[in-house]
Amino acid sequence: MNIPNQITIARMLLIPFFLIFLLAPIDLGMIQIGTEQLPMTHAVAALIFIIASMTDWIDGYYARKYGLVTNLGKFLDPLADKLLVSAALIALVQLDLAPAWMVIVIISREFAVTGLRLVLAGEGEVVAANMLGKIKTWTQIVAIAALLLHNLPFSLLSFPFADISLWIALIFTIWSGWDYFVKNKHAFRHSK
């Protein structure tokens, strides 16, 4: 259990704290920014989410820099991302801040790619996230953070940054999922 893997596990352990601040009936007041109001709990949840998301870059950088890339890390890192993003998106649907159909498409892609990874693992292959998958993850993180912050500060300018970001995340989610399946179609031809 090297340091990058410990950082990845710490990311997973932040998820319950994130959800408690976002969904539990805690009243910490409101933040007033111009004419917009943001529940303090959502601001704290957004901060926890952003910190947890940044650990994705930190553990990857540390693992590559010091030659600590492991099969466990290749498995845990995308799993931690999927857990964090799925938890956030489902919570955003509950709060009526994200459309359910988009969240269903995004999470379905995550399940499909995880299934593909399991098929490949059964054949002895471990597939690390590729660049398109990483872009997908970061577009999702930006969209979720913007939604958690109720589109602030962009709402002050009447610019729908959060909605646009979610659409961009959806496009990259579908594109990267398609790419994984096209590049690994051999797994279905050779599977028993």
Side-chain angles (χ1 to χ4, degrees):
M1 183 61 65
N2 62 31
I3 291 174
N5 292 341
Q6 290 172 4
I7 294 170
T8 301
I9 290 171
R11 177 159 73 252
M12 290 190 264
L13 294 175
L14 285 174
I15 295 170
F17 297 101
F18 159 71
L19 291 173
I20 287 168
F21 277 100
L22 190 59
L23 299 175
I26 303 168
D27 185 5
L28 299 177
M30 302 291 273
I31 298 172
Q32 182 84 29
I33 301 174
T35 58
E36 302 292 325
Q37 287 191 334
L38 175 68
M40 178 60 99
T41 53
H42 290 196
V44 172
L47 180 62
I48 293 170
F49 178 82
I50 291 166
I51 289 168
S53 299
M54 292 306 297
T55 66
D56 181 36
W57 179 82
I58 293 166
D59 64 16
Y61 173 79
Y62 195 85
R64 286 185 298 276
K65 182 174 181 177
Y66 295 103
L68 297 172
V69 176
T70 64
N71 282 342
L72 178 63
K74 288 179 187 176
F75 170 75
L76 283 180
D77 187 59
L79 176 64
D81 294 340
K82 286 171 179 35
L83 290 172
L84 179 63
V85 165
S86 296
L89 288 171
I90 292 167
L92 287 167
V93 169
Q94 182 174 337
L95 295 170
D96 203 27
L97 294 172
W101 75 267
M102 290 177 106
V103 170
I104 290 167
V105 170
I106 291 170
I107 292 175
S108 296
R109 179 266 186 211
E110 303 302 345
F111 276 113
V113 170
T114 298
L116 174 62
R117 287 176 185 273
L118 290 173
V119 169
L120 292 168
E123 296 181 5
E125 292 183 52
V126 176
V127 181
N130 64 17
M131 185 52 69
L132 198 51
K134 291 176 182 180
I135 293 170
K136 177 269 310 177
T137 298
W138 283 102
T139 59
Q140 289 175 352
I141 288 167
V142 168
I144 290 167
L147 290 165
L148 289 169
L149 293 170
H150 298 222
N151 197 43
L152 282 167
F154 301 99
S155 58
L156 298 171
L157 305 171
S158 299
F159 180 69
F161 178 79
D163 294 335
I164 292 168
S165 297
L166 189 57
W167 274 101
I168 292 169
L170 179 69
I171 291 165
F172 275 102
T173 297
I174 294 168
W175 183 11
S176 65
W178 176 259
D179 184 63
Y180 268 109
F181 277 90
V182 168
K183 287 182 177 172
N184 294 289
K185 61 182 178 247
H186 66 278
F188 299 100
R189 285 195 298 250
H190 303 297
S191 63
K192 297 175 185 171

